[in-house]
Amino acid sequence: MFATMMHGAGDVRYEEVADPKIIAPTDAIIQLAVTSICRSDLWPYRGYGDFDGLKAMGHEYCGVVVEIGSEVKTVKKGQFVVGSFCLSDNTCPHCQYGFQSSCQQREFMTSAQAPYARIPLADGTLVGLDHLPDPSLYPDLQAVSNVLGTG
Ligand SMILES: [Zn+2]
C-alpha cells in the first residue's frame, strides 16, 4: 500500500510501505475512512524542533475494523471506530482514573495517512459505533478523533 511519510523538514512523500499486520494480541487493523493533517505535523515539516527520523504520518483517524488480535474484546470486525492519537490500555490505574493520556503503556499513534493502519492497544484506544455512519458524518467523527483524544 501507499502511505504518507515525512523524511525531514519540507520533505513529505507518498510512497509504498508494507501492509500493517497484527503484531500483539491487543492490536487491531482498521481500514481508514478519514484521516487528517494535524498542526503538530506542521512543526517538524517547517523545521521546528528536532527531527528524529523517518515518520509515518497520521494520528487522527476513523475507520472500519478489518482484523483484531486474539485479546481484543471491545471492538469487532466490520465495526466503525473512532481512534485517539494517544494509545492506551484502559486498564492501568491511570486509565481507570480517567487519564488515558498518562497510560502506563502509552504510545502515540502514527501511520494513519494510509489505506490501513495497525492500532496497538485497540480496546483502550478505539471507540466503536453501533452502526456504520453515513459518510457525510465522517468530518464530524474526525473532529471527535481530534478533540476527545486531546481532552
Ligand atoms: Zn492505561
Side-chain angles (χ1 to χ4, degrees):
M1 69 176 188
F2 280 76
T4 307
M5 307 292 288
M6 184 178 292
H7 286 258
D11 185 2
V12 173
R13 304 176 199 172
Y14 189 60
E15 60 190 23
E16 193 160 12
V17 299
D19 291 350
K21 297 189 177 348
I22 298 287
I23 296 173
T26 52
D27 291 348
I29 305 295
I30 68 169
Q31 181 176 19
L32 279 295
V34 62
T35 186
S36 61
I37 297 172
C38 178
R39 181 186 63 164
S40 63
D41 292 325
L42 299 179
W43 296 117
Y45 180 78
R46 291 177 176 155
Y48 293 106
D50 296 327
F51 186 76
D52 54 2
L54 182 65
K55 179 181 174 187
M57 298 180 68
H59 56 265
E60 295 162 349
Y61 55 96
C62 302
V64 175
V65 176
V66 295
E67 187 176 357
I68 58 172
S70 61
E71 294 180 15
V72 174
K73 304 289 186 237
T74 63
V75 297
K76 60 187 179 190
K77 286 174 67 172
Q79 188 172 23
F80 193 93
V81 291
V82 178
S84 174
F85 66 91
C86 190
L87 307 172
S88 59
D89 59 18
N90 218 23
T91 61
C92 76
H94 298 282
C95 286
Q96 290 297 302
Y97 201 69
F99 290 99
Q100 283 81 359
S101 62
S102 296
C103 177
Q104 291 175 335
Q105 295 193 71
R106 181 184 69 189
E107 298 177 45
F108 292 104
M109 182 63 190
T110 64
S111 310
Q113 291 180 8
Y116 296 91
R118 172 182 165 253
I119 314 297
L121 304 173
D123 280 339
T125 301
L126 299 173
V127 175
L129 278 63
D130 60 3
H131 63 283
L132 293 175
D134 186 277
S136 67
L137 295 174
Y138 289 174
D140 299 325
L141 293 164
Q142 180 65 16
V144 168
S145 172
N146 180 333
V147 298
L148 291 186
T150 300

